[in-house]
Amino acid sequence: MSAEMKTSAQIMTRVTAIGAVVDGLLGLFKIVIGLISQSHALVADGIHSLSDLGTDVLVIFAAKWSQEEPDADHPYGHDRIETLATLILGSILLAVAGGILYDSIQRFLDDAIIINLGVSAFVVTVASIVSKEAMYHFTSYYARKLNSKLLLANAWHSRTDSLSSVAVLIGLIGVSFDLVWLDALAALAVAFFVAKIALSLLWDATQELIDTALPLEQVDAIRAVALSVPGLRDVHQIRTRSMGGKTLMDLHLQVDPRVSVSEGHEIGCWVAASVRAKFDDIIDITFHIDPENDADINQEGPLSLRPLRETVVEDLTEDWSGLCEILDFRLHYLRGKIDVELVTLSDVTVAELKSATVRPWLGNVSIMRPN
């Protein structure tokens, strides 16, 4: 595991472990106060807070596994483990929203439901709001810093507890003023808000799993950085996808068709370095060097393939050996044809060469003298 990935995993683990401690202490506090005050609702809420430890453990394990180095079975790394864990957390949040919605409807329909109005209920409720809201801001800060949707999902999981406690507090205040329905209304609003967040997390994670491209404005920004590299003529077929908050991409880079292979490759290396320097989240770039814009050319169809050097040399040697001494061929695959530069010392013309062959793949012909 690289130093950067190790640091990221350590931060996620530390942040989540702090949240787990808060969940554990808050859960025990609620259960103890609930037993003392004989409040079954408070005991149940305490058990719910302790159950949050399960999601904290999920986040800790996912943070560790997702940062593992690529291996033979996972050449692109394990970042999708974080995406999968985000899906699970989003599903849990959606289930929480459903539970709150069910409870709020029950409160509307059943007037017999009694809300405990003891001082301890106010104390525990306020403590829950303050502690869980603080954990939300603490966790979401590092989620944005690490660009981790998993950590952000866990942050929102903390905020759902805070919002639920806000609904309880509103309900307690409502009871104080004989407005019992206010409790159900607050819980209903919280349920819809939590469901909205859960669906947003699920949607983002699903989009990542099906390799959805980056937004068009980001792709255009990447294109602009690439085109700033000297020697690059054009960029096309930019393809992007996300994995655990990181971006992988491949693109075609058009260079002068007469440059050497090594020069074209070096231009590609400069493009990759420039893009990575500008966009920290891009971790993998695969580039393909093109001598021309081949975006609309079917390179996989058999009819579009032109013969390789061995066949070209054999055919042209057969056609031209009687006209001149052939020292070398320089081939350029352009416009669906093969442009040929013949290296020779013989006194021969281009017209003579072209009249001596009828190869359908032959494009422009030129004569070069050896250095």
Side-chain angles (χ1 to χ4, degrees):
M1 186 184 297
S2 67
E4 183 179 352
M5 295 171 68
K6 187 176 181 180
T7 301
S8 178
Q10 288 175 341
I11 292 175
M12 291 179 67
T13 300
R14 189 181 305 118
V15 170
T16 307
I18 293 172
V21 171
V22 172
D23 286 334
L25 292 177
L26 190 60
L28 291 174
F29 183 52
K30 288 179 180 179
I31 291 173
V32 170
I33 298 297
L35 291 174
I36 293 174
S37 63
Q38 297 297 306
S39 171
H40 296 293
L42 211 50
V43 171
D45 197 26
I47 294 173
H48 175 255
S49 292
L50 287 179
S51 70
D52 291 343
L53 292 174
T55 59
D56 293 329
V57 171
L58 171 67
V59 173
I60 289 173
F61 278 108
K64 179 181 182 299
W65 292 334
S66 66
Q67 300 300 323
E68 292 292 329
E69 293 282 2
D71 54 38
D73 294 327
H74 308 89
Y76 288 99
H78 301 76
D79 297 278
R80 286 276 165 83
I81 292 176
E82 182 174 332
T83 310
L84 180 61
T86 303
L87 273 176
I88 295 173
L89 272 180
S91 300
I92 292 173
L93 284 177
L94 195 59
V96 169
I100 297 174
L101 178 62
Y102 176 79
D103 183 64
S104 64
I105 293 175
Q106 287 294 103
R107 289 175 185 271
F108 269 123
L109 300 178
D110 190 356
D111 295 334
I113 293 178
I114 300 173
I115 300 177
N116 191 344
L117 198 56
V119 175
S120 59
F122 277 103
V123 172
V124 173
T125 302
V126 172
S128 179
I129 294 171
V130 173
S131 60
K132 299 300 284 189
E133 187 66 15
M135 277 310 306
Y136 163 75
H137 288 286
F138 177 68
T139 307
S140 62
Y141 167 78
Y142 283 100
R144 290 190 296 270
K145 186 175 181 179
L146 300 176
N147 194 26
S148 171
K149 289 185 174 65
L150 173 60
L151 211 54
L152 183 61
N154 205 34
W156 276 107
H157 191 234
S158 294
R159 174 159 271 190
T160 58
D161 290 341
S162 173
L163 292 172
S164 297
S165 297
V166 168
V168 172
L169 184 60
I170 292 174
L172 293 173
I173 295 173
V175 170
S176 301
F177 293 95
D178 294 326
L179 301 173
V180 180
W181 56 268
L182 195 59
D183 171 69
L185 184 62
L188 191 63
V190 169
F192 282 110
F193 182 76
V194 173
K196 179 179 180 297
I197 297 301
L199 291 173
S200 176
L201 289 169
L202 288 171
W203 174 258
D204 289 344
T206 301
Q207 292 297 100
E208 187 171 306
L209 284 177
I210 61 176
D211 287 338
T212 302
L214 293 177
L216 183 59
E217 58 269 18
Q218 288 183 250
V219 174
D220 288 340
I222 292 171
R223 185 192 306 276
V225 172
L227 288 172
S228 67
V229 175
L232 186 67
R233 289 189 168 183
D234 193 21
V235 183
H236 55 275
Q237 292 187 2
I238 299 178
R239 297 190 297 181
T240 60
R241 55 195 172 107
S242 299
M243 288 181 61
K246 305 178 182 69
T247 299
L248 293 82
M249 65 178 295
D250 57 83
L251 66 169
H252 286 219
L253 306 176
Q254 184 182 343
V255 299
D256 188 325
R258 306 291 172 172
V259 302
S260 65
V261 173
S262 59
E263 184 179 352
H265 178 75
E266 189 64 19
I267 292 172
C269 290
W270 272 85
V271 170
S274 300
V275 170
R276 282 199 184 97
K278 187 70 174 180
F279 304 95
D280 296 335
D281 59 312
I282 299 179
I283 61 168
D284 187 274
I285 299 176
T286 301
F287 60 82
H288 175 80
I289 300 298
D290 285 332
E292 58 186 344
N293 190 338
D294 63 351
D296 299 323
I297 298 177
N298 178 16
Q299 295 180 327
E300 298 180 0
L303 297 179
S304 68
L305 296 177
R306 290 155 287 182
L308 297 177
R309 170 172 283 272
E310 182 179 1
T311 301
V312 172
V313 169
E314 181 180 338
D315 289 349
L316 293 184
T317 299
E318 178 185 336
D319 295 342
W320 295 347
S321 59
L323 296 175
C324 61
E325 179 188 6
I326 298 173
L327 299 179
D328 194 12
F329 291 105
R330 296 173 187 170
L331 309 181
H332 301 281
Y333 290 74
L334 300 169
R335 305 175 304 280
K337 299 284 187 178
I338 304 176
D339 290 354
V340 177
E341 293 178 358
L342 171 65
V343 181
T344 182
L345 288 171
S346 302
D347 188 16
V348 65
T349 66
V350 171
E352 290 173 330
L353 293 173
K354 297 206 74 170
S355 64
T357 184
V358 290
R359 308 294 176 178
W361 40 260
L362 185 63
N364 295 329
V365 177
S366 58
I367 298 171
M368 305 291 294
R369 303 302 178 188
N371 296 329

